[in-house]
Amino acid sequence: MMSDESPARPLTSRELAALIGVSQSAVSRAFTPGSSISSKLRARILGAAHEYGYQPNAIASMMTTKRTKIVGIVVSDMRNPFYPALIERLTQALQRVGFQSLLFNISPGARIEEQLVAIRTYNVDTVIVISATILDDRTLNWAAGGRRAILLNRLSHQDMPTVCCDNVAGARAVVDHFHAIDRHRIGYVAGLAKTAVGMTRQGAFTTRLAELGMRLVGSAGSEAYTFEAGWQGALDLLAARPDAIFFASDILALGGLGALRAAGVRIPEDIAVAGFDDIVMAGWPTNDLTTYRQPVDQLIEKAIEMTLAAEIDEDRLVLLPGELIIRGSTSGD
Amino acid sequence: MMSDESPARPLTSRELAALIGVSQSAVSRAFTPGSSISSKLRARILGAAHEYGYQPNAIASMMTTKRTKIVGIVVSDMRNPFYPALIERLTQALQRVGFQSLLFNISPGARIEEQLVAIRTYNVDTVIVISATILDDRTLNWAAGGRRAILLNRLSHQDMPTVCCDNVAGARAVVDHFHAIDRHRIGYVAGLAKTAVGMTRQGAFTTRLAELGMRLVGSAGSEAYTFEAGWQGALDLLAARPDAIFFASDILALGGLGALRAAGVRIPEDIAVAGFDDIVMAGWPTNDLTTYRQPVDQLIEKAIEMTLAAEIDEDRLVLLPGELIIRGSTSGD
DNA sequence: CCACTTTTTGCAATCGGTTGCAAATCATCA
DNA sequence: TGATGATTTGCAACCGATTGCAAAAAGTGG
């Protein structure tokens, strides 16, 4: 496979065909699984390809098949460590099934549409949208340009294919846990309030609180899922004297933990703290954060399944349950 | 731009040409800057394109121009937060100059070459290699398949175009700082010892120690740039009773800080701690880590420059200085 | 107004594969 | 062995743009 030095210009199928005296279509078929070719000829061609270092040109085959084997991944927040971890595993999983990932990193504020023009011209087979923020459904549809768009860890109001953690179950699990450890004055630090995911978590959280007769003593908004926002949110809540705080994401919770500790609050004795996501840092001994773990592997598996499926008729909205990971920030060890 | 509903099949240049009664080549030229076309005709065509929602098909133009406007980004460690931050800014910068990023996320151990076959078939214009680990020069050359490969934050033994932080300056700056705050029993926690970057940092560090007559009381290896490795490395060093420890990267240092604090060591009174990279978490008040900041923006700027350059004759190895960021982990506030 | 230069436009070949169709080969069975 | 059907192979059109070349149009000067 790594034979010889690569020539300046790579071999074409026609050239390889000429070299070994077969037709060019035979070469093409040799590389196309399931095509009409005898195994003997295929073996001979693959052998020669190996020997001369021929590899089919993916661009050319995109021309005719109109399939690029590329998925566009739309992201906007790689600062929150949850996303890189998700992207890493997603791209690897895609590679395993023969797809490559074209990254569209859209930055807020700037001319969104302009940033998305490329996604149409590159003819990606599928668009996977991870970005929680920014894109509204309409823009998204336009960007996909008729291709399949899959929402990953993000909700929409239309019926686009969606794979998402069950935020309701997650928020409820946290409340139930607070209840179990006998906390009743609860605080909430929201992420981006405008997003569907953010609203779902918050809604389920407050609903469950009410069901159990617990008291939401205060809630703080925030403009972003960042450490600083969590820090500030925690400080904002202190006056309400909560005995437990739920942060809409781990990165917020870490900021909150920092602020609370700096303020001399004992965790979990004075205030229990829980987050959402279970990013790797949540498990670090220095943080030891109770959190609702997103089922990343299953999310990805489902997303891949949707990417490969010919049609997505049923189960357009897949909600997967996660798991509450109880650590020292709520259980007095 | 967002006109109408996108038709199932997007318009081709020939169809648009027919619609408004011009030749297909005119349409092509209208979209090609600097091509021979009157501004009047161009305006008419662009107007019609807008109206009918036509956009040139990038795949087709790749066929003829043999330029894909895609750079392959080879990564292997997205767990270390330094890399996502780098990748985010790199892809955004590339987008700004009209390039898209195809992500090749190679996982260690597995059949590396197999994972890289795609990089050749997709005909990326340039390969930017961020992965510090894994790939040796030979494999890399093969994967690039004659195309330009640029090493970013990584060194090679050949003369491939390289953009890298000045690790020597960085390591020396840290030693000088330890010297300035009067620490003389120094410990070192290495990253992946096998990598060129790792060895450079370590070499410069020990050399400078010697120059200043300071004592390296101990050094710990590690298998990876991870929190856990840093934690373990710090513990390994404790017996040597250092009064300052340099960690080869921030993520290691954070682990080290955790271990040291857990062991009741006061930072910085008992042991001063410094890292390398200046990832965002280093600046969090909870960590407050002194570190050598990598000049990320300049690194990227240079990498983009090399991507766009027709030829890279001179300055094939660009070393950019960073900046020592002094925080609470070394300066007693 | 005409000859001549410069610019604009269209024609048609080309990039490197894929695939429908027909020809050629192989296999099977009477 | 010859007829018949099943496989295998090659031919050639096609995907949707780019671009060299020649024809057409526009601009210039005498």
Side-chain angles (χ1 to χ4, degrees):
Chain A
M1 178 172 291
M2 230 164 126
S3 60
D4 293 301
E5 289 311 303
S6 350
R9 193 177 56 75
L11 225 50
T12 70
S13 63
R14 223 171 295 266
E15 290 165 337
L16 181 69
L19 277 172
I20 58 176
V22 299
S23 78
Q24 181 269 335
S25 7
V27 175
S28 172
R29 283 192 259 256
F31 280 89
T32 311
S35 62
S36 162
I37 187 175
S38 67
S39 49
K40 191 153 36 137
L41 182 56
R42 165 170 284 151
R44 182 151 76 93
I45 291 174
L46 291 182
H50 182 145
E51 178 181 353
Y52 293 105
Y54 166 79
Q55 272 179 229
N57 181 329
I59 306 295
S61 81
M62 292 177 196
M63 274 301 296
T64 46
T65 62
K66 288 160 185 282
R67 308 196 53 236
T68 53
K69 291 282 202 170
I70 293 179
V71 310
I73 301 188
V74 178
V75 202
S76 69
D77 183 13
M78 306 237 306
R79 247 91 178 177
N80 180 345
F82 177 71
Y83 291 110
L86 186 64
I87 294 169
E88 176 175 52
R89 283 147 98 172
L90 178 61
T91 56
Q92 286 178 347
L94 284 168
Q95 275 165 227
R96 251 175 268 126
V97 294
F99 280 76
Q100 297 300 320
S101 310
L102 203 57
L103 208 59
F104 294 87
N105 211 312
I106 60 181
S107 37
R111 321 249 322 85
I112 301 285
E113 287 181 26
E114 213 165 271
Q115 299 182 54
L116 289 171
V117 170
I119 222 173
R120 311 180 97 223
T121 68
Y122 276 92
N123 272 308
V124 299
D125 289 343
T126 302
V127 180
I128 297 184
V129 184
I130 300 183
S131 161
T133 54
I134 303 185
L135 290 175
D136 58 283
D137 288 351
R138 203 171 105 72
T139 310
L140 191 47
N141 254 334
W142 170 81
R147 279 165 286 274
R148 179 176 300 173
I150 299 173
L151 306 185
L152 181 54
N153 198 43
R154 175 197 207 279
L155 300 169
S156 95
H157 300 296
Q158 304 182 354
D159 75 330
M160 298 195 208
T162 302
V163 187
C164 193
C165 171
D166 187 342
N167 292 295
V168 171
R172 292 173 66 96
V174 171
V175 176
D176 289 353
H177 176 56
F178 283 166
H179 185 78
I181 60 174
D182 219 39
R183 305 288 168 130
H184 295 94
R185 301 180 52 81
I186 312 297
Y188 180 77
V189 176
L192 268 167
K194 290 169 294 186
T195 68
V197 165
M199 288 174 55
T200 308
R201 278 183 204 168
Q202 178 156 16
F205 186 75
T206 52
T207 303
R208 186 59 178 163
L209 279 183
E211 283 175 20
L212 295 180
M214 294 159 78
R215 180 126 175 271
L216 183 70
V217 297
S219 85
S222 72
E223 335 254 290
Y225 289 100
T226 62
F227 184 90
E228 290 76 13
W231 183 287
Q232 188 56 49
L235 291 186
D236 291 351
L237 282 184
L238 271 184
R241 313 199 62 70
D243 57 13
I245 305 181
F246 176 42
F247 291 82
S249 90
D250 281 356
I251 194 84
L252 288 170
L254 294 182
L257 278 180
L260 294 174
R261 284 186 181 137
V265 174
R266 289 170 307 158
I267 314 285
E269 294 81 359
D270 300 332
I271 301 184
V273 170
F276 201 108
D277 286 345
D278 195 28
I279 60 179
V280 59
M281 292 157 52
W284 290 358
T286 36
N287 300 313
D288 206 21
L289 175 71
T290 290
T291 187
Y292 192 75
R293 173 180 294 170
Q294 294 221 35
V296 174
D297 286 331
Q298 290 96 304
L299 289 172
I300 288 175
E301 193 181 336
K302 260 295 172 191
I304 299 277
E305 211 172 276
M306 283 188 174
T307 303
L308 299 179
E311 293 291 329
I312 308 179
D313 326 288
E314 46 191 22
D315 291 337
R316 294 177 70 85
L317 172 60
V318 178
L319 289 182
L320 298 171
E323 182 188 358
L324 185 69
I325 307 293
I326 298 173
R327 298 205 182 91
S329 72
T330 58
S331 92
D333 208 6
Chain B
M1 178 173 293
M2 230 163 127
S3 60
D4 292 300
E5 289 311 302
S6 348
R9 193 178 57 73
L11 226 49
T12 70
S13 63
R14 220 172 299 268
E15 291 166 336
L16 181 67
L19 277 172
I20 58 176
V22 301
S23 79
Q24 182 268 335
S25 5
V27 174
S28 171
R29 283 193 260 256
F31 281 89
T32 310
S35 62
S36 164
I37 188 175
S38 67
S39 48
K40 190 153 37 139
L41 182 56
R42 166 170 283 151
R44 182 151 77 94
I45 292 174
L46 291 182
H50 183 147
E51 178 181 352
Y52 293 106
Y54 166 79
Q55 273 179 227
N57 181 328
I59 307 295
S61 83
M62 291 177 196
M63 272 304 293
T64 46
T65 62
K66 290 162 184 283
R67 310 197 51 236
T68 52
K69 290 280 201 173
I70 293 179
V71 311
I73 300 188
V74 178
V75 202
S76 69
D77 183 12
M78 306 237 306
R79 248 87 178 179
N80 180 345
F82 177 71
Y83 291 110
L86 187 64
I87 294 168
E88 176 175 54
R89 282 147 98 172
L90 178 61
T91 56
Q92 286 179 347
L94 284 168
Q95 275 165 227
R96 251 175 268 125
V97 294
F99 280 76
Q100 297 301 321
S101 310
L102 202 57
L103 209 58
F104 293 88
N105 211 313
I106 60 181
S107 37
R111 322 247 321 85
I112 301 284
E113 288 181 26
E114 213 166 89
Q115 298 182 55
L116 289 171
V117 169
I119 221 174
R120 310 182 96 222
T121 68
Y122 276 92
N123 271 308
V124 298
D125 289 343
T126 301
V127 180
I128 297 183
V129 184
I130 299 184
S131 161
T133 55
I134 303 184
L135 292 175
D136 59 282
D137 288 351
R138 204 173 103 74
T139 311
L140 189 48
N141 254 337
W142 171 82
R147 279 165 286 274
R148 179 177 300 173
I150 298 173
L151 306 185
L152 182 53
N153 199 42
R154 173 196 208 280
L155 299 169
S156 96
H157 299 297
Q158 304 181 354
D159 76 330
M160 298 194 207
T162 302
V163 187
C164 194
C165 170
D166 187 342
N167 291 296
V168 171
R172 292 173 67 95
V174 171
V175 176
D176 290 352
H177 177 55
F178 283 166
H179 185 78
I181 60 174
D182 220 38
R183 305 288 167 131
H184 295 94
R185 300 180 53 82
I186 313 296
Y188 181 76
V189 176
L192 270 165
K194 292 170 294 189
T195 67
V197 165
M199 290 174 54
T200 307
R201 279 182 203 168
Q202 179 156 14
F205 185 74
T206 52
T207 302
R208 187 57 178 164
L209 279 182
E211 285 176 17
L212 295 179
M214 295 159 79
R215 180 127 174 268
L216 182 70
V217 297
S219 86
S222 72
E223 334 254 289
Y225 290 100
T226 61
F227 183 90
E228 292 76 13
W231 183 286
Q232 190 55 51
L235 291 185
D236 292 350
L237 282 184
L238 272 184
R241 315 199 63 67
D243 57 12
I245 304 181
F246 176 43
F247 292 82
S249 87
D250 282 355
I251 194 85
L252 289 170
L254 294 182
L257 278 180
L260 294 174
R261 285 185 180 137
V265 174
R266 289 170 307 159
I267 313 287
E269 293 81 358
D270 300 333
I271 300 184
V273 169
F276 201 109
D277 285 346
D278 195 28
I279 60 180
V280 58
M281 292 158 53
W284 290 358
T286 38
N287 300 315
D288 206 21
L289 175 69
T290 290
T291 187
Y292 191 76
R293 172 180 295 169
Q294 293 221 33
V296 174
D297 286 331
Q298 289 96 308
L299 289 173
I300 288 176
E301 193 182 335
K302 259 297 173 191
I304 299 276
E305 212 173 276
M306 283 189 173
T307 303
L308 299 179
E311 294 290 331
I312 308 180
D313 325 290
E314 46 191 23
D315 290 337
R316 295 177 70 85
L317 171 60
V318 178
L319 289 182
L320 298 171
E323 182 187 359
L324 184 69
I325 306 293
I326 298 173
R327 298 204 182 91
S329 71
T330 58
S331 91
D333 209 10

